[in-house]
Amino acid sequence: MNQPNSAQTLQGVFKDAMDSCGMDYRSDELWNLYIEYELKHEHFREAMTLYNRVLNIPTQSYQMHYERCKCLISTRSPVEFLTEEELGAIYAEMQAENDYPVAMEDLASEDIGDSLSEADVQKIRQHFLDAREQMYLRNEMEVQKRSAFEDGIKQLYFVSMPLNIKQLQNWRKYLAFEKSQGQHDRIVVLFERCLIPCAMYEEFWLSYAQYMEGQSVEAARSVFERACRTHLPRKFTLHHQWAFFEEKHGELDSARAILHNLENVLPGLVIVRLRRVNLERRNGNLQEAERLLREAVQNSGIPGVAAFYTVKLARLLLKLKKDPEKARDLLMEALEKEPNSPCLHECLLEIEISRDAADDVMLCLERALNSNIHDSLKGTWSQRRLEFLEDNGTSVKSLLKAYDEHQILVEKDELKRKGNDGSEGDEKSKKAKPSNDPSVQDNLSIPKVTQPAVSAVESSVVTTPSVSTGNKTVTKPVTTQPSPLLPAYVPRPLIRPYPGPNFGGYNNPLPWGYNRFYRPF
């Protein structure tokens, strides 16, 4: 403060800070610092101007600002903290209520201050307090709308750890709500707050850029530059959106530079090279598009990727440059290096059909069937050959030969499918069928029930009471009920013993018609 221009410099710093983050929900300390600085130097009008601003901003400590504003109004004269326009408007309204209208230009603040009585001062204070109370109530409603979102914000600063789902959803809902309110300054401040903890999430950068594009193209470009050059230099989706943005607004050189720099950062990424090719194609630069594809074919070390670029180049030559012969030669050269590539055979067949050369179409189909592609693809190619011969063939022998070969492929595929199903069924049956090997049965986990030792006789018959019927005695066995501790068991039905005929007179031997191995019932 001892420097000659320190006061002006500090004022500028405070103003820049308020313009940058004065609308932040947690900016109360900054407002307090600025207001205390003005009060310390007895700049009461500037302090009241700051109170008028902060009372219209939903902040966390909005009640504190209102209480301090009332304290300033009640302890100071209205002439000290009111501007000339405000004091003149209030005084004119008071005169109008008393039926003494006075023009604003006829009043001076010094004259008003000298002519005010104590009652007038109290009326002016009350009038000013009523206006600030209305501002406070409106601001309180805005705070209540945002308090739930603010309570859901747990991370205020950047950390390398990812945020949880609840935090991200809260930010999405909060931004959607603020956009629905339609206040540009608050939307921008909220986006800037969001991008501090969510700096590594490209969805918020894209949402911010899309919103700013509707306000200013330069502002949206600045958002893309911050995201791609500082925070997310390796996110190709964000760079693609930036390139689309520049292309849409006619900046083709900027779009080319963005994709070229991204390819240097992520070399070998197929989608980046395709974006460059399509950019040139959309703008009519077919020579550059062809050059990029040929360069990709030559520099690609992976066979599948080289075939992919070759197909793209062949279709460019066929569809856009209308040069089927050049496209055919390109594919034939690629098939010499990769004879088993289905996409190359497919593209070559497309070119041969477009040339209306039946012999070349048949040759292409035969070449694909003689390659080492998968059997399922061979079945598809065989079906195509059969359909082509039926529609365009001139020899029935070739048609029948193709039909026989197709049937062989179909039967082979069916046998292979049945073999796979049979092997699976055998394995399932082996797993389901129990084994008769006792060593295997011993390993089966069968629950055992502990039961008390019971003799074989006790388990079947307990008593055999004697019943006398005339001259003979018959013994009737009685079976016992199974113990409740034993598992459920159904006993075999006992054979009632046959008493036999009465051979009391013959002791020995038995009669000739008696069979001791078969006793009739």
Side-chain angles (χ1 to χ4, degrees):
M1 294 302 296
N2 297 327
Q3 301 298 325
N5 296 325
S6 59
Q8 293 79 0
T9 303
L10 191 57
Q11 286 281 349
V13 171
F14 274 124
K15 291 180 180 179
D16 293 340
M18 292 304 166
D19 293 338
S20 300
C21 54
M23 300 189 71
D24 195 297
Y25 186 80
R26 302 174 185 271
S27 60
D28 301 290
E29 294 297 331
L30 184 60
W31 284 104
N32 291 337
L33 185 62
Y34 193 6
I35 293 172
E36 288 176 0
Y37 171 79
E38 298 293 356
L39 292 176
K40 181 179 179 180
H41 293 82
E42 297 184 353
H43 300 159
F44 301 111
R45 291 183 179 178
E46 288 78 2
M48 184 56 64
T49 303
L50 294 176
Y51 276 126
N52 293 336
R53 290 178 59 187
V54 74
L55 287 177
N56 290 307
I57 299 174
T59 60
Q60 190 175 21
S61 302
Y62 69 100
Q63 296 177 346
M64 176 191 65
H65 300 306
Y66 177 62
E67 296 297 332
R68 292 186 177 182
C69 179
K70 291 197 300 183
C71 181
L72 176 61
I73 295 172
S74 59
T75 56
R76 292 292 173 180
S77 173
V79 179
E80 295 179 346
F81 59 80
L82 290 179
T83 61
E84 296 179 1
E85 292 80 5
E86 292 174 340
L87 188 60
I90 295 173
Y91 188 76
E93 184 176 354
M94 292 173 55
Q95 294 294 327
E97 293 176 357
N98 296 328
D99 297 331
Y100 296 105
V102 180
M104 291 288 298
E105 57 271 10
D106 297 336
L107 297 174
S109 60
E110 294 81 2
D111 298 337
I112 296 174
D114 296 337
S115 61
L116 288 177
S117 63
E118 186 64 27
D120 295 334
V121 170
Q122 293 298 328
K123 289 182 179 180
I124 292 175
R125 283 177 177 171
Q126 188 61 39
H127 186 278
F128 200 74
L129 281 174
D130 294 340
R132 297 304 164 279
E133 185 178 2
Q134 295 298 322
M135 296 168 59
Y136 165 75
L137 293 176
R138 289 193 298 268
N139 193 30
E140 186 177 27
M141 295 176 60
E142 297 296 328
V143 171
Q144 291 176 357
K145 294 178 182 178
R146 295 164 176 80
S147 59
F149 300 113
E150 293 291 341
D151 294 339
I153 299 175
K154 305 300 180 183
Q155 183 63 44
L156 299 176
Y157 304 101
F158 174 77
V159 291
S160 58
M161 299 295 293
L163 298 179
N164 55 35
I165 297 178
K166 291 183 179 181
Q167 291 282 295
L168 297 177
Q169 291 178 348
N170 184 67
W171 279 115
R172 296 187 190 105
K173 293 178 181 179
Y174 198 0
L175 289 169
F177 165 76
E178 204 64 67
K179 287 180 183 178
S180 66
Q181 299 299 307
Q183 298 186 14
H184 175 69
D185 294 337
R186 290 182 181 177
I187 296 172
V188 172
V189 169
L190 185 60
F191 265 115
E192 294 294 339
R193 286 182 60 198
C194 172
L195 291 173
I196 295 174
C198 304
M200 304 304 293
Y201 293 89
E202 56 185 331
E203 63 169 298
F204 296 105
W205 288 104
L206 289 174
S207 179
Y208 191 17
Q210 291 172 0
Y211 170 75
M212 294 302 294
E213 185 178 2
Q215 307 295 325
S216 171
V217 175
E218 291 299 327
R221 181 176 290 113
S222 176
V223 174
F224 276 119
E225 289 180 356
R226 288 167 54 194
C228 296
R229 295 180 178 176
T230 304
H231 298 280
L232 302 171
R234 300 178 66 86
K235 291 287 187 178
F236 60 87
T237 304
L238 197 60
H239 286 77
H240 291 168
Q241 294 296 327
W242 188 14
F244 290 149
F245 169 81
E246 298 293 350
E247 182 183 0
K248 182 172 67 173
H249 292 283
E251 300 293 336
L252 297 181
D253 293 336
S254 298
R256 293 189 182 100
I258 291 167
L259 295 176
H260 184 267
N261 294 334
L262 179 61
E263 195 170 25
N264 293 333
V265 174
L266 301 173
L269 197 60
V270 176
I271 191 173
V272 180
R273 178 54 62 102
L274 290 182
R275 296 292 186 189
R276 295 183 64 188
V277 172
N278 293 328
L279 172 64
E280 303 298 340
R281 177 188 58 78
R282 284 192 297 269
N283 293 278
N285 194 357
L286 298 181
Q287 297 295 332
E288 181 65 17
E290 182 181 353
R291 186 193 70 80
L292 290 173
L293 285 175
R294 290 188 179 276
E295 182 182 0
V297 172
Q298 294 175 0
N299 297 335
S300 178
I302 304 175
V305 177
F308 175 79
Y309 283 127
T310 303
V311 170
K312 291 290 185 181
L313 179 58
R315 288 177 177 172
L316 176 68
L317 296 174
L318 176 65
K319 301 295 183 180
L320 299 179
K321 287 199 166 185
K322 309 298 181 182
D323 194 349
E325 296 295 334
K326 195 173 183 179
R328 182 178 181 276
D329 295 339
L330 176 68
L331 290 173
M332 293 295 295
E333 182 181 354
L335 280 172
E336 294 179 359
K337 300 178 182 178
E338 301 180 41
N340 301 322
S341 175
C343 61
L344 292 177
H345 289 288
E346 183 75 25
C347 188
L348 181 59
L349 179 63
E350 180 183 351
I351 293 175
E352 299 294 4
I353 292 175
S354 66
R355 293 174 61 246
D356 294 332
D359 295 337
D360 293 337
V361 171
M362 287 300 302
L363 184 61
C364 177
L365 291 169
E366 295 293 341
R367 187 186 297 110
L369 290 172
N370 294 328
S371 63
N372 293 328
I373 61 177
H374 195 268
D375 291 340
S376 61
L377 295 177
K378 283 187 177 181
T380 304
W381 282 90
S382 177
Q383 180 68 30
R384 288 186 177 183
R385 181 181 63 176
L386 190 60
E387 292 175 356
F388 181 80
L389 287 174
E390 287 181 351
D391 295 337
N392 304 281
T394 58
S395 174
V396 69
K397 293 182 179 180
S398 59
L399 177 61
L400 293 175
K401 182 181 178 181
Y403 181 78
D404 293 338
E405 292 179 358
H406 181 69
Q407 289 297 115
I408 292 173
L409 286 175
V410 171
E411 292 175 0
K412 183 180 178 181
D413 188 37
E414 290 180 356
L415 289 175
K416 184 180 294 184
R417 192 183 306 112
K418 289 180 179 179
N420 294 334
D421 296 342
S423 61
E424 293 176 0
D426 293 341
E427 292 178 359
K428 293 180 180 178
S429 62
K430 289 179 181 178
K431 293 180 180 179
K433 184 178 180 180
S435 176
N436 294 327
D437 190 357
S439 62
V440 176
Q441 292 180 356
D442 293 339
N443 295 329
L444 297 177
S445 58
I446 300 176
K448 298 180 179 180
V449 180
T450 304
Q451 54 185 352
V454 181
S455 63
V457 177
E458 292 176 350
S459 63
S460 60
V461 179
V462 178
T463 58
T464 55
S466 299
V467 180
S468 60
T469 57
N471 296 327
K472 58 181 180 179
T473 302
V474 180
T475 303
K476 294 184 178 180
V478 180
T479 58
T480 60
Q481 297 295 329
S483 173
L485 298 177
L486 298 177
Y489 171 72
V490 180
R492 291 181 59 188
L494 296 177
I495 300 175
R496 189 167 62 90
Y498 178 66
N502 187 8
F503 295 121
Y506 299 92
N507 295 324
N508 196 20
L510 293 174
W512 64 271
Y514 182 80
N515 189 352
R516 61 189 180 92
F517 296 103
Y518 176 75
R519 296 181 179 183
F521 289 88

